[in-house]
């Protein structure tokens, strides 16, 4: 399909700016720019938002707890933000968290994992797994039901959600009811798929951007570790049901869809939905691009189904 009209104009403006490649810009400037692009969304009202500092094996970690109502025993979704493991934080994921909390009636817990290149693989993955364990043991104090846990994330956050599901299976951690993977980063070993070549330039996230993000997060040898590249895991069996959302004009399209096929091959209930005409990043654009709300609605419907909210 052709690009959605909203993205035709957005990309025209973006490409006309002739911005330098990411590798030529200081990391702190990229982070600050991303914050201005993904501001908080207080217009999506929830009952409460609470910031908490939690202990981990290597120090402390910030999380933000979105409670959609004062009811107790609510299902819980851990949300891991995107940004190539390098950019993004609790501010940039705020809108998605609010949308999911309202759309599912679940508590959403955003995780402020440590970023590369200051903290390289496997720091982000271990931070997110530590957050899962803390939430399982403590979320009852915030009205949550630890027996109804899901993980979710977009882009690098989708990678971390998939990785946390693998870690929890492998390490006998908390049982997860579902995983929502939105245009996830799944494979650091192949940058020559059809989607990487077709969408290498001109659609926002470029092939060169992804190579740079991987270089910040990992050494080449790390990329064959399933906790970096989930698709290389020996087996997908006993993983939680998955909904994988991809975008037609996205370098990451093919690896997300291939991961869904791997999950199904190993007996996991996995649904893959491609959004034609969309580009990478659409899940965060429910305000600016109304057409993307159908993706958010689908995600919330499936999360609600698997988490079985009352």
């Amino acid at each position: 399909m052709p690009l959605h009209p909203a993205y035709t104009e957005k990309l025209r403006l973006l490409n006309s700016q002739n911005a330098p490649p990411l590798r030529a810009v200081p990391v702190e400037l990229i982070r600050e720019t991303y914050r201005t692009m993904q501001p908080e969304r207080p217009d999506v009202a929830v009952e409460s938002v609470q910031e908490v500092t939690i202990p981990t094996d290597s120090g402390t970690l910030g999380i933000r707890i979105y409670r959609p109502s004062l009811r107790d025993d609510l299902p819980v979704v851990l949300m891991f933000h995107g940004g190539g493991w390098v950019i993004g934080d609790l501010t940039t994921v705020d809108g998605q968290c609010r949308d999911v909390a309202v759309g599912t009636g679940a508590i959403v817990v955003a995780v402020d994992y440590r970023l590369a290149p200051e903290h390289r693989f496997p720091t982000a993955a271990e931070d997110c797994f530590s957050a899962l364990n803390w939430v399982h043991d403590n979320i009852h104090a915030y009205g949550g039901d630890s027996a109804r846990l899901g993980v979710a994330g977009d882009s690098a956050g989708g990678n971390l959600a998939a990785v946390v599901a693998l870690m929890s299976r492998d390490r006998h951690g908390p049982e997860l009811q579902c995983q929502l993977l939105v245009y996830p980063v799944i494979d650091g070993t192949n940058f020559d798929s059809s989607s990487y070549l077709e969408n290498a330039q001109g659609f926002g996230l470029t092939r060169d951007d992804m190579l740079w993000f991987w270089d910040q997060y990992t050494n080449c040898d790390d990329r064959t570790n399933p906790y970096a590249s989930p698709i290389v895991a020996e087996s997908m069996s006993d993983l939680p049901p998955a909904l994988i959302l991809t975008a037609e004009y996205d370098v990451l399209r093919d690896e997300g869809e291939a991961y869904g096929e791997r999950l199904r091959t190993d007996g996991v209930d996995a649904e893959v939905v491609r959004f034609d005409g969309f580009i990478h990043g659409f899940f965060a654009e429910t305000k600016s691009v109304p057409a993307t709300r159908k993706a958010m609605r689908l995600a919330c419907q499936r999360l609600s189904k698997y988490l079985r909210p009352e």
Side-chain angles (χ1 to χ4, degrees), residues 18 29 38 58 66 85 136 157 197 208 218 233 248 260 300 307:
N18 295 316
L29 179 57
Q38 302 281 15
S58 56
Y66 295 80
W85 310 281
H136 176 267
L197 299 178
D208 189 59
T218 63
E248 181 180 9
C300 291
L307 295 170

Side-chain angles (χ1 to χ4, degrees), residues 5-15 279-280 285 289:
Y7 288 124
T8 301
E9 178 61 14
K10 178 178 180 176
L11 290 172
R12 185 190 68 79
L13 291 172
L14 179 67
N15 295 331
I279 65 173
H280 189 87
E285 297 180 326
V289 183

Side-chain angles (χ1 to χ4, degrees), residues 206-264:
T206 69
R207 182 177 184 272
D208 189 59
D209 291 342
M210 279 309 309
L211 289 167
W212 182 81
F213 282 130
W214 274 107
D215 287 344
Q216 304 313 297
Y217 185 49
T218 63
N219 300 318
C220 287
D221 290 346
D222 293 330
R223 297 175 194 177
T224 58
N225 186 319
Y227 295 160
S229 298
I231 202 163
V232 306
E234 225 174 88
S235 172
M236 307 294 169
S237 62
D238 301 318
L239 288 174
L243 173 64
I244 300 173
L245 307 183
T246 65
E248 181 180 9
Y249 296 97
D250 183 7
V251 292
L252 301 177
R253 182 194 70 212
D254 290 354
E255 62 199 72
E257 294 174 3
Y259 194 59
E261 186 58 35
R262 277 290 316 274
L263 290 168
R264 287 193 292 262

Side-chain angles (χ1 to χ4, degrees), residues 44-287:
V44 183
V46 294
E47 180 64 36
S48 66
V49 180
Q50 186 171 356
E51 295 202 8
V52 178
T53 300
I54 65 174
T56 70
D57 290 343
S58 56
T60 59
L61 194 64
I63 63 171
R64 188 180 283 179
I65 301 171
Y66 295 80
R67 192 168 178 176
S69 72
L70 291 177
R71 296 178 61 187
D72 288 327
D73 298 322
L74 293 173
V76 183
V77 178
L78 274 81
M79 181 73 75
F80 308 126
H81 67 78
W85 310 281
V86 176
I87 60 179
D89 53 26
L90 297 180
T91 292
T92 63
V93 79
D94 179 75
Q96 293 178 55
C97 292
R98 290 172 179 271
D99 278 341
V100 170
V102 171
T104 62
I107 291 172
V108 175
V109 180
V111 180
D112 198 19
Y113 58 86
R114 288 172 289 174
L115 299 176
E118 298 92 336
H119 304 282
R120 292 169 64 83
F121 175 82
T123 301
E126 295 292 351
D127 281 353
C128 291
F129 184 63
S130 293
L132 170 64
N133 285 310
W134 185 92
V135 166
H136 176 267
D137 293 344
N138 295 277
I139 201 63
H140 62 277
Y142 301 88
D145 179 1
S146 62
R148 293 189 289 166
L149 289 174
V151 290
D154 71 308
S155 196
N159 168 279
L160 293 169
V163 167
V164 166
L166 285 168
M167 286 179 161
S168 204
R169 179 199 65 179
D170 296 346
R171 300 175 180 181
H172 307 289
E175 181 178 356
L176 294 171
Q177 304 303 310
C178 57
Q179 49 184 326
L180 169 64
L181 314 179
V182 182
Y183 35 81
V185 185
I186 292 295
D187 188 356
T189 68
N190 178 16
F191 301 97
D192 294 311
S193 65
S194 294
S195 61
Y196 258 111
L197 299 178
E198 293 166 4
N199 305 308
Q201 294 285 339
F203 296 100
L205 180 70
T206 69
R207 182 177 184 272
D208 189 59
D209 291 342
M210 279 309 309
L211 289 167
W212 182 81
F213 282 130
W214 274 107
D215 287 344
Q216 304 313 297
Y217 185 49
T218 63
N219 300 318
C220 287
D221 290 346
D222 293 330
R223 297 175 194 177
T224 58
N225 186 319
Y227 295 160
S229 298
I231 202 163
V232 306
E234 225 174 88
S235 172
M236 307 294 169
S237 62
D238 301 318
L239 288 174
L243 173 64
I244 300 173
L245 307 183
T246 65
E248 181 180 9
Y249 296 97
D250 183 7
V251 292
L252 301 177
R253 182 194 70 212
D254 290 354
E255 62 199 72
E257 294 174 3
Y259 194 59
E261 186 58 35
R262 277 290 316 274
L263 290 168
R264 287 193 292 262
T265 297
D266 284 2
V268 177
D269 177 8
E271 179 182 4
V272 179
V273 180
R274 179 190 295 186
F275 285 88
D276 291 329
F278 285 9
I279 65 173
H280 189 87
F282 67 78
F283 202 64
E285 297 180 326
T286 55
K287 182 176 182 180

